[in-house]
C-alpha cells in the first residue's frame, strides 16, 4: 500500500484572466483533487514577469483576478492554500542552487520553452530569466515537496525537467531531501481556440475567459471556426475539426441532442448559426454559476487579498523547513 501523503502544487502565471482552456486542462482537476490531498496553488507573478517585463502593473493586477477565477470555479480556501510566488523568496533562493544542476543547452531544448520562444518571437534575444523559468518552476514544486502536479499537457516537459533536477540534487548531495513529482493530465487536456487553432491562449487572442460576459460569449461563438466548406445550409458539413462541435462535446450535457445535431449537420440542412446559438446556451449555462460566485467574491476584494496573504504566510513556513534541509545537504549552514 502506498502510504505517501499526496501533496499537490499547481498554479498559473498572473498574466491575465483564466479561460475555458485552463478549466479543461487543469482547473477542473484541481477542484476535484483538493478533497483528497493537501493542495497548494501558486499564483506565479515572478514567472509572469518573464514574458511581461514591461507590464508590472498588469502582472500585479492579475494576481487578484486569477485568485477570483480560482474561487469562482470552486477552489475552496479551506481546503487549498493559494499563495503568491514573490512572497516566498525561498523559491528564488532555491532556483539559484538548481541553476548549477542544469545546462543552458538543456534549457534551450525544453520543448515548452522552445514553443513559447517561437510564439512570442523572442528568438536569439530571449532573456536569461525566461529561458530559466522551468528551473524556477522546479523550485515552486519542490519547495513544498509536492509529489503531484495537475497541469495542462504543455507543461509536461517542465515537470520532466523538475524531476531531473530532483534526481541530480539528491545524488550529488547524497540525500533524499527532494521529492519527484508526477504530472496529472486531464482527460481532455487541450481545448482549441475559437479560431480552431491547436490551443486556446490569451496571447493568441482566441480565448473565452471564465469571466466573459454573456454578450462576449455570443460575440466569440459567432466568430468561431466551423467547417469552411459548409457554405450553404443544405450542404453536408464536417464535424471533425469543427470547433463548435468540439466545444459541445466538452461542455454540453444533453448528449442525445448533440448526437442528433451532429447527424443533421453531416447530412446537410443544419446551419452554423443554429448550432452556434445552441453552443452559446450551453456555454452560458456552464459559466453562469462561475460568474455568480466570482461576482460574490469580487465584492470583497479585501477578503480575497487577505486569503492570499494568509496562504503565502502558511507556505512561507513550509518553505523555511525545506530550505533548512536543502542547506544542510549542501553544507551551507554556518551557525
Ligand atoms: N508555467 C505554468 C503556466 O504557464 C504556471 C506555473 C508556475 C506552474 N509555477 C507552476 C504550474 C508550478 C504548475 C506548477 O501555466
Amino acid at each position: 500500500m502506498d502510504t505517501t501523503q499526496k501533496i499537490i502544487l499547481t498554479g498559473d502565471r498572473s498574466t491575465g484572466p483564466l479561460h475555458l482552456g485552463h478549466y479543461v486542462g487543469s482547473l477542473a482537476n484541481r477542484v476535484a483533487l483538493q478533497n483528497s490531498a493537501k493542495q497548494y496553488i501558486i499564483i506565479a507573478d515572478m514567472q509572469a514577469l518573464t514574458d511581461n517585463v514591461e507590464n508590472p502593473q498588469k502582472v500585479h493586477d492579475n494576481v487578484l483576478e486569477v485568485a477570483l477565477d480560482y474561487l469562482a470555479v470552486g477552489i475552496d480556501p479551506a481546503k487549498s492554500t493559494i499563495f503568491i510566488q514573490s512572497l516566498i523568496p525561498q523559491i528564488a533562493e532555491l532556483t539559484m542552487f538548481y541553476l548549477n544542476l542544469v545546462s543552458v543547452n538543456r534549457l534551450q531544448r525544453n520543448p515548452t520553452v522552445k514553443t513559447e520562444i517561437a510564439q512570442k518571437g523572442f528568438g536569439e534575444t530571449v532573456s536569461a530569466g525566461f529561458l530559466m523559468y522551468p528551473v524556477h518552476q522546479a523550485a515552486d514544486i519542490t519547495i513544498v515537496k509536492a509529489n503531484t502536479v495537475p497541469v495542462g499537457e504543455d507543461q509536461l516537459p517542465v515537470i520532466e525537467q523538475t524531476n531531473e533536477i530532483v534526481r541530480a540534487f539528491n545524488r550529488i548531495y547524497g540525500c533524499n531531501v527532494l521529492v519527484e513529482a508526477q504530472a496529472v493530465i486531464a482527460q481532455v487536456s487541450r481545448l482549441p481556440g475559437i479560431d480552431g487553432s491547436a490551443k486556446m491562449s490569451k496571447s493568441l487572442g482566441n480565448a473565452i475567459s471564465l469571466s466573459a460576459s454573456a454578450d462576449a460569449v455570443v460575440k466569440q461563438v459567432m466568430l468561431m471556426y466551423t467547417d469552411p466548406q459548409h457554405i450553404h445550409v443544405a450542404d453536408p458539413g464536417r464535424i471533425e475539426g469543427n470547433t463548435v462541435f468540439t466545444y459541445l462535446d466538452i461542455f454540453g450535457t444533453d448528449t442525445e441532442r448533440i448526437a442528433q445535431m451532429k447527424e443533421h449537420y453531416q447530412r446537410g440542412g443544419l446551419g452554423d448559426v443554429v448550432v452556434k446559438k445552441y453552443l452559446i446556451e450551453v456555454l452560458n449555462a456552464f459559466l453562469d454559476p462561475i460568474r455568480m460566485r466570482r461576482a460574490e467574491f469580487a465584492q470583497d476584494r479585501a477578503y480575497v487579498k487577505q486569503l492570499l496573504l494568509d496562504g503565502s504566510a502558511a507556505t512561507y513556513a513550509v518553505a523555511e523547513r525545506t530550505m533548512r534541509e536543502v542547506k544542510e545537504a549542501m553544507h551551507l549552514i554556518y551557525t
Side-chain angles (χ1 to χ4, degrees):
M1 194 175 86
D2 182 12
T3 52
T4 324
Q5 196 204 348
K6 210 187 244 185
I7 301 178
I8 300 176
L9 184 289
T10 182
D12 295 279
R13 294 178 199 180
S14 57
T15 47
L18 303 182
H19 52 63
L20 291 174
H22 290 112
Y23 187 86
V24 169
S26 62
L27 290 177
N29 260 346
R30 297 175 195 173
V31 173
L33 286 164
Q34 68 181 344
N35 294 309
S36 60
K38 174 75 211 155
Q39 177 160 261
Y40 295 90
I41 306 186
I42 185 169
I43 302 183
D45 57 345
M46 287 174 72
Q47 189 180 105
L49 285 169
T50 64
D51 59 348
N52 272 281
V53 68
E54 309 208 0
N55 303 308
Q57 188 66 48
K58 175 178 121 182
V59 168
H60 175 98
D61 294 345
N62 275 307
V63 169
L64 206 79
E65 295 307 310
V66 169
L68 285 170
D69 287 333
Y70 288 151
L71 297 168
V73 297
I75 294 296
D76 179 350
K79 293 177 184 160
S80 298
T81 302
I82 311 175
F83 70 97
I84 301 173
Q85 188 178 35
S86 66
L87 291 181
I88 317 297
Q90 295 90 343
I91 294 174
E93 194 180 5
L94 192 54
T95 303
M96 285 305 288
F97 298 156
Y98 288 173
L99 283 171
N100 296 323
L101 307 174
V102 181
S103 71
V104 174
N105 185 269
R106 174 69 180 88
L107 285 168
Q108 285 166 333
R109 280 188 294 113
N110 183 309
T112 311
V113 175
K114 259 168 88 169
T115 307
E116 277 183 277
I117 289 175
Q119 259 179 15
K120 297 173 201 293
F122 289 156
E124 293 285 298
T125 64
V126 63
S127 72
F130 187 83
L131 193 63
M132 61 162 240
Y133 94 69
V135 182
H136 197 213
Q137 190 162 329
D140 298 338
I141 294 166
T142 51
I143 199 86
V144 300
K145 301 198 179 185
N147 49 24
T148 309
V149 187
V151 278
E153 66 171 0
D154 63 304
Q155 294 289 302
L156 282 177
V158 181
I159 311 301
E160 197 180 310
Q161 192 153 27
T162 298
N163 288 334
E164 286 173 24
I165 291 170
V166 167
R167 287 191 290 269
F169 185 98
N170 286 347
R171 178 178 55 77
I172 291 168
Y173 300 111
C175 64
N176 54 10
V177 169
L178 300 183
V179 178
E180 284 192 51
Q182 201 175 358
V184 178
I185 302 296
Q187 241 172 2
V188 185
S189 66
R190 182 173 292 210
L191 186 70
I194 61 167
D195 56 356
S197 74
K199 197 187 159 197
M200 179 175 281
S201 149
K202 172 105 184 359
S203 52
L204 298 176
N206 63 12
I208 298 179
S209 64
L210 293 169
S211 50
S213 68
D215 286 348
V217 169
V218 173
K219 275 207 197 93
Q220 283 167 300
V221 172
M222 284 304 172
L223 286 172
M224 208 174 249
Y225 180 84
T226 57
D227 170 7
Q229 317 285 328
H230 186 239
I231 297 163
H232 306 290
V233 173
D235 294 344
R238 280 174 62 89
I239 57 167
E240 297 81 19
N242 185 322
T243 319
V244 180
F245 283 103
T246 307
Y247 280 43
L248 279 178
D249 278 338
I250 295 172
F251 296 101
T253 47
D254 189 344
T255 44
E256 210 166 296
R257 178 160 177 197
I258 294 167
Q260 273 170 10
M261 280 186 136
K262 282 182 180 170
E263 194 272 321
H264 194 177
Y265 191 83
Q266 286 173 304
R267 180 159 36 96
L270 182 60
D272 279 355
V273 172
V274 175
V275 191
K276 285 184 168 180
K277 284 204 166 134
Y278 182 51
L279 178 61
I280 289 167
E281 236 177 79
V282 163
L283 286 183
N284 280 329
F286 171 79
L287 289 172
D288 267 340
I290 295 176
R291 288 184 185 119
M292 259 161 59
R293 265 197 304 268
R294 195 180 207 281
E296 251 169 63
F297 283 109
Q299 278 184 348
D300 197 352
R301 285 174 184 256
Y303 164 80
V304 179
K305 209 171 145 195
Q306 192 56 46
L307 212 74
L308 296 178
L309 294 178
D310 292 347
S312 299
T315 309
Y316 189 100
V318 174
E320 274 295 278
R321 285 204 292 279
T322 304
M323 278 317 275
R324 175 80 203 181
E325 291 177 40
V326 161
K327 286 184 179 174
E328 274 167 5
M330 293 180 71
H331 304 272
L332 290 171
I333 303 287
Y334 295 102
T335 51

